[in-house]
Amino acid sequence: MIDTMGLTPDAVTLSPLKLFMQADLVVKLVMIGLALASIWTWTIIISFGLKIAKIGKDNTAFEQDFWKAGDIDAFYKARGHEKLPSARVLAAGVAEWRRTTKGRVTDRDGARQRLATAMSSSVGHEIDTLSDRLNFLATVGSVAPFVGLFGTVWGIMRSFTAIAAEQNSSLAVVAPGIAEALFATAIGLFAAIPAVIAYNRFSHRLNKLEGKLFRFSDAFHGELSRELEKDSF
């Protein structure tokens, strides 16, 4: 049975599976690639979201406990090797402090600069490590729409080829190819939109974490600077 537009029921179906099965091999490969990218994107979104939330909570608790501690050396021995950004910044500061104070400190300004550099480098390393997986989200967000567009263009080209082969420009000839093409675009957008939103959101959270680490670093640097002013050094 053919409807008034000259399309069979199978030609107008919106079933994703049927649209995929009817697609050209090239369009199928595009769809599969975008679907895999979407799955990996959501894996990163969920895992990184949980990870950054836990790090933020643990970092806050670590810093609060540090400022409550009366003895920095004792606190460092007990908790300085925890796998937290704040703990690594603390470790970088303590390590540089110990190298600086092995002998008599004659250049206090130079010592302060070295302490600041060591902890700033540690902050940068921690943020770079955490943001490494976000590069994939940025790539998907920028590339997926164009990959979907490639599938769209290929499907439309296939439709025009069908018109030439059939010598018929009716919708029954061109509609399947166009539907498959637009479906490829939809998958591309489905992969790209969450990736862009997640990338922007996680970048904001990393910026906040970086700011907190720098504030912790500056405060610890102030404590060490006061130690340098003591007569023993």
Side-chain angles (χ1 to χ4, degrees):
M1 180 178 178
I2 299 177
D3 61 16
T4 56
M5 295 297 293
L7 298 176
T8 63
D10 287 340
V12 297
T13 181
L14 291 178
S15 169
L17 180 60
K18 288 186 177 180
L19 288 173
F20 173 79
M21 296 304 297
Q22 293 169 3
D24 178 76
L25 177 61
V26 174
V27 180
K28 282 182 179 177
L29 292 176
V30 169
M31 291 179 179
I32 291 172
L34 291 172
L36 292 175
S38 180
I39 292 171
W40 187 238
T41 293
W42 280 104
T43 301
I44 292 175
I45 290 173
I46 294 172
S47 62
F48 189 83
L50 294 174
K51 181 179 181 179
I52 198 68
K54 185 176 188 303
I55 287 175
K57 181 180 178 181
D58 292 346
N59 258 1
T60 299
F62 179 90
E63 292 177 16
Q64 289 175 347
D65 292 342
F66 173 77
W67 294 118
K68 291 177 183 177
D71 188 335
I72 293 178
D73 285 332
F75 183 87
Y76 174 73
K77 289 178 182 179
R79 301 186 57 183
H81 300 287
E82 293 184 11
K83 294 181 179 180
L84 288 172
S86 292
R88 294 189 179 101
V89 172
L90 172 66
V94 171
E96 182 59 36
W97 169 262
R98 289 176 175 175
R99 286 192 295 269
T100 298
T101 56
K102 278 184 178 179
R104 182 174 178 81
V105 179
T106 58
D107 184 3
R108 289 189 175 91
D109 289 337
R112 292 189 183 93
Q113 184 61 44
R114 289 192 296 273
L115 288 167
T117 299
M119 289 187 284
S120 294
S121 296
S122 180
V123 171
H125 176 73
E126 292 301 316
I127 297 301
D128 287 345
T129 301
L130 288 172
S131 63
D132 185 58
R133 297 183 71 188
L134 297 188
N135 290 332
F136 183 80
L137 296 182
T139 301
V140 171
S142 60
V143 173
F146 294 101
V147 176
L149 182 61
F150 170 76
T152 299
V153 172
W154 188 272
I156 292 174
M157 289 171 58
R158 181 168 173 256
S159 297
F160 282 121
T161 302
I163 291 174
E166 297 287 337
Q167 297 292 314
N168 185 352
S169 60
S170 69
L171 287 177
V173 175
V174 300
I178 293 176
E180 298 155 12
L182 295 177
F183 184 51
T185 300
I187 296 176
L189 293 175
F190 182 77
I193 292 173
V196 171
I197 294 173
Y199 178 80
N200 290 334
R201 179 59 181 166
F202 290 149
S203 294
H204 174 69
R205 295 182 71 174
L206 283 177
N207 287 337
K208 289 181 65 177
L209 176 61
E210 184 179 23
K212 289 185 67 175
L213 288 176
F214 271 122
R215 287 191 292 273
F216 175 70
S217 170
D218 290 342
F220 185 41
H221 182 269
E223 289 291 322
L224 296 179
S225 293
R226 281 188 286 273
E227 289 293 323
L228 286 173
E229 297 299 324
K230 292 183 178 181
D231 293 337
S232 58
F233 296 105

